[in-house]
Amino acid sequence: MSITSGAAGVADRIRNATLAQRVTSAAEAVKHIGPGDTVAISGFASGGTPKVTIPALAERIREVRAGGTDFTINLLTGASVSSDTERLLSEVEGIALRMPYQSEPTARRRINNGQMDYVDIHLSHVAQQVWQGYYGHVDIAVVEVAGITEDGELIPSASIGNNKTWLDVADKIILEVNSWVPAELEGIHDVYYGTALPPHRKPIQITRADDRIGQPTFRVDPEKVVAVVETHARDEASALTEPDAVSKAIAGHVLDFFDYEVRAGRMPADTLLPMQAGIGNVANAVLGGLDRGGYKNLTCYSEVLQDSMLALIKDGTVAHASSTSLALSEAGLEEFVANIDVYRNHITLRPQEISNHPEVVRRLGVIAMNGMLEADIYGNVNSTHVMGTKIMNGIGGSGDFTRNGYVSMFLSPSTARNGAISAIVPMVPHIDHTEHDTQVIVTEFGLADLRGLSPRRRARVIIDKCAHPDYRPMLNDYLERADAMPDAGQTPHLLGEAFSFHQRFQETGSMRG
């Protein structure tokens, strides 16, 4: 089936006679969702987010509210979803609780204003916590799929996320069958059904990034499917820009580090080790530069794949990439669709409880590369809260990979807000990753390798290598005065000044002295 097939091709995607009888409109489907329901939806970094059911739900909430009845839901997802999804539901004040990740300004404002409860957790923990009932009962799941087989199994779309769990635990299910998703995507997925809660767990049998341990489809109880909605709509593109000078400089330091590790005998000379990179322009630039060093047959074990991964697969630098979702720009989506026969042989999409599984990450020796908002002089990292209090996005999968990676790296420009904010501060007011998990910090000015260093030595290296020159004198002054205190201790701090950079910014609009 061609990707360009329109509405006439949608019916060809529903090959099960029973479920074909449940095709209805989105407006009818959302009548199965009521006030107070816990609703789990598909989507991870916008890939695979339902396209028409959620806008219809937002409109239903608006109409019910206009009639004087309160209507909110608890919203569970894989990670971030399309920006329209969160915006539409937030604008009608339809979300009471959000979990586990968000990235949309309207929702973010409501969370920071105390109008929406938000639970920020490691992505590898979501499925287990839902099974254990931490978020109550899941009333209904809305899951996008690429098709339904003759025997009623579901062909996943551009992400898997937590969909296996949602289909298992939800009382009722709405399926969106999206004929925009290339039919050739069938078979790219590896859905594992062997996970269990303690004490019945077994080892996850993945020893290579391209190992397959599951099946290519989701199972579903047809009796739970209350509606099937047809759609033909593309995924929302991820926002990516061409790498700027700062991103290129960070990428250069990372690639030099890889060369150093190879010379030291800590990584294989040609293939390095499986790589994970968070989403964003810096990570995209780092991965995009991997073809410069003559590396071949690299592998990726990550949670999202961005545009740079497609280029690396196409030129032979990357042999296989494992993920739970595709997070592609407009150009990346076009490239993926145009050459899907190439990419489907080099990509595996898994449930996020497997793509982010700590056991697998540790076994494979993954090189973890993630972004941060700020780090302090001892290596503690804040990746979620602006000024320590206002949530930006969420921890996502960075903790899954950082704590368990063979090498754990954090990448960031040295400043933000045109230099008014330093990414290196005396003490971070919110800690997502402790100094014990942070091994390498990189900015455009250099790379601080913290492995084997005591706190004082870490501080010197971070300031000298990573801080912006405008802030180095202030940071060195802080460290010297803290170290000179009679009772300085193992990790010297001036408690009365530890958050002075942040206080100064709140008072003056700049962290500069």
Side-chain angles (χ1 to χ4, degrees):
M1 187 183 305
S2 167
I3 181 137
T4 58
S5 60
V10 178
D12 297 336
R13 300 292 184 105
I14 307 171
R15 307 197 294 259
N16 178 269
T18 299
L19 295 182
Q21 300 301 312
R22 298 180 190 166
V23 172
T24 188
S25 68
E28 285 298 313
V30 298
K31 291 179 181 178
H32 292 281
I33 302 174
D37 279 356
T38 293
V39 181
I41 71 170
S42 60
F44 194 110
S46 81
T49 303
K51 307 300 188 294
V52 295
T53 306
I54 302 306
L57 175 59
E59 183 58 30
R60 170 166 157 75
I61 292 174
R62 188 190 309 277
E63 291 173 354
V64 171
R65 280 184 175 278
T69 301
D70 189 32
F71 194 154
T72 60
I73 63 169
N74 299 323
L75 182 65
L76 316 182
T77 65
S80 59
V81 289
S82 70
S83 58
D84 277 352
T85 294
E86 294 201 80
R87 178 181 59 80
L88 291 171
L89 291 175
S90 297
E91 285 177 346
V92 297
E93 301 179 1
I95 306 174
L97 178 142
R98 178 77 174 90
M99 187 280 287
Y101 190 93
Q102 57 75 42
S103 59
E104 195 278 324
T106 310
R108 185 183 303 130
R109 282 194 297 272
R110 290 187 60 78
I111 291 167
N112 285 322
N113 290 338
Q115 298 166 315
M116 183 193 305
D117 285 340
Y118 172 57
V119 184
D120 185 25
I121 67 171
H122 300 297
L123 296 187
S124 68
H125 292 180
V126 177
Q128 173 179 292
Q129 291 190 6
V130 169
W131 274 107
Q132 291 174 321
Y134 291 6
Y135 303 94
H137 193 69
V138 178
D139 297 285
I140 192 162
V142 183
V143 176
E144 180 188 90
V145 297
I148 304 173
T149 69
E150 289 82 358
D151 59 3
E153 297 207 338
L154 310 177
I155 302 166
S157 63
S159 72
I160 291 186
N162 286 311
N163 295 352
K164 179 187 75 68
T165 298
W166 302 157
L167 293 166
D168 284 345
V169 303
D171 284 345
K172 295 180 290 186
I173 295 165
I174 297 171
L175 298 176
E176 270 201 23
V177 181
N178 188 356
S179 63
W180 177 87
V181 180
E184 295 84 354
L185 204 65
E186 184 172 356
I188 202 173
H189 310 90
D190 187 54
V191 185
Y192 180 60
Y193 278 92
T195 53
L197 295 176
H200 306 293
R201 281 187 174 147
K202 297 179 181 179
I204 305 299
Q205 298 297 322
I206 295 178
T207 60
R208 292 164 45 95
D210 59 354
D211 281 345
R212 285 180 167 268
I213 59 174
Q215 63 180 63
T217 53
F218 295 126
R219 303 168 188 165
V220 65
D221 178 355
E223 295 303 313
K224 297 201 299 183
V225 179
V226 295
V228 177
V229 178
E230 299 173 319
T231 186
H232 185 83
R234 68 183 297 163
D235 279 326
E236 180 182 86
S238 294
L240 281 179
T241 60
E242 284 297 313
D244 58 12
V246 170
S247 297
K248 289 179 179 178
I250 293 171
H253 296 313
V254 172
L255 296 169
D256 288 343
F257 174 76
F258 290 161
D259 294 342
Y260 173 80
E261 290 295 285
V262 168
R263 292 194 301 271
R266 290 189 284 262
M267 291 186 190
D270 297 324
T271 59
L272 299 176
L273 289 166
M275 282 170 290
Q276 174 264 338
I279 197 167
N281 291 321
V282 173
N284 197 54
V286 171
L287 292 177
L290 284 170
D291 58 0
R292 77 158 208 198
Y295 297 115
K296 293 292 180 183
N297 296 315
L298 299 178
T299 59
C300 172
Y301 196 85
S302 191
E303 60 188 2
V304 291
L305 301 182
Q306 297 192 106
D307 290 24
S308 56
M309 189 58 62
L310 300 185
L312 294 172
I313 289 172
K314 201 170 185 180
D315 70 16
T317 302
V318 168
H320 201 87
S322 171
S323 177
T324 195
S325 179
L326 304 174
L328 304 174
S329 69
E330 292 281 357
L333 285 168
E334 296 295 334
E335 167 62 25
F336 181 75
V337 169
N339 295 285
I340 191 165
D341 286 337
V342 173
Y343 296 120
R344 71 187 306 275
N345 295 318
H346 298 276
I347 293 174
T348 301
L349 297 182
R350 312 179 188 276
Q352 73 186 60
E353 63 188 281
I354 302 299
S355 69
N356 292 45
H357 201 293
E359 174 198 346
V360 179
V361 172
R362 178 66 63 89
R363 182 185 303 117
L364 296 182
V366 170
I367 303 168
M369 297 178 286
N370 288 284
M372 66 179 189
L373 293 178
E374 60 186 353
D376 66 30
I377 59 176
Y378 296 111
N380 300 293
V381 169
N382 170 20
S383 60
T384 61
H385 283 71
V386 176
M387 296 295 128
T389 60
K390 292 182 173 59
I391 192 77
M392 175 55 72
N393 295 316
I395 194 168
S398 59
D400 299 325
F401 290 94
T402 296
R403 181 67 182 88
N404 302 285
Y406 180 75
V407 178
S408 300
M409 311 176 72
F410 282 96
L411 323 175
S412 173
S414 63
T415 61
R417 297 272 186 100
N418 295 317
I421 294 177
S422 173
I424 307 300
V425 296
M427 180 184 286
V428 290
H430 177 91
I431 298 178
D432 293 291
H433 312 280
T434 73
E435 62 185 271
H436 309 291
D437 300 330
T438 305
Q439 297 178 346
V440 177
I441 295 176
V442 193
T443 71
E444 73 271 29
F445 289 101
L447 181 147
D449 186 350
L450 309 180
R451 296 172 298 178
L453 301 184
S454 64
R456 285 175 172 83
R457 293 179 64 195
R458 284 200 300 268
R460 291 296 181 194
V461 171
I462 290 171
I463 294 171
D464 292 345
K465 296 288 188 180
C466 297
H468 191 284
D470 288 354
Y471 287 97
R472 285 179 197 166
M474 299 164 61
L475 292 165
N476 278 319
D477 174 69
Y478 175 89
L479 178 61
E480 288 166 5
R481 288 187 293 113
D483 197 18
M485 293 178 62
D487 241 354
Q490 160 80 348
T491 307
H493 267 302
L494 300 171
L495 295 183
E497 298 181 33
F499 301 132
S500 58
F501 279 38
H502 302 86
Q503 290 175 328
R504 188 178 302 117
F505 178 81
Q506 291 183 328
E507 293 169 0
T508 70
S510 175
M511 287 185 175
R512 291 189 178 96

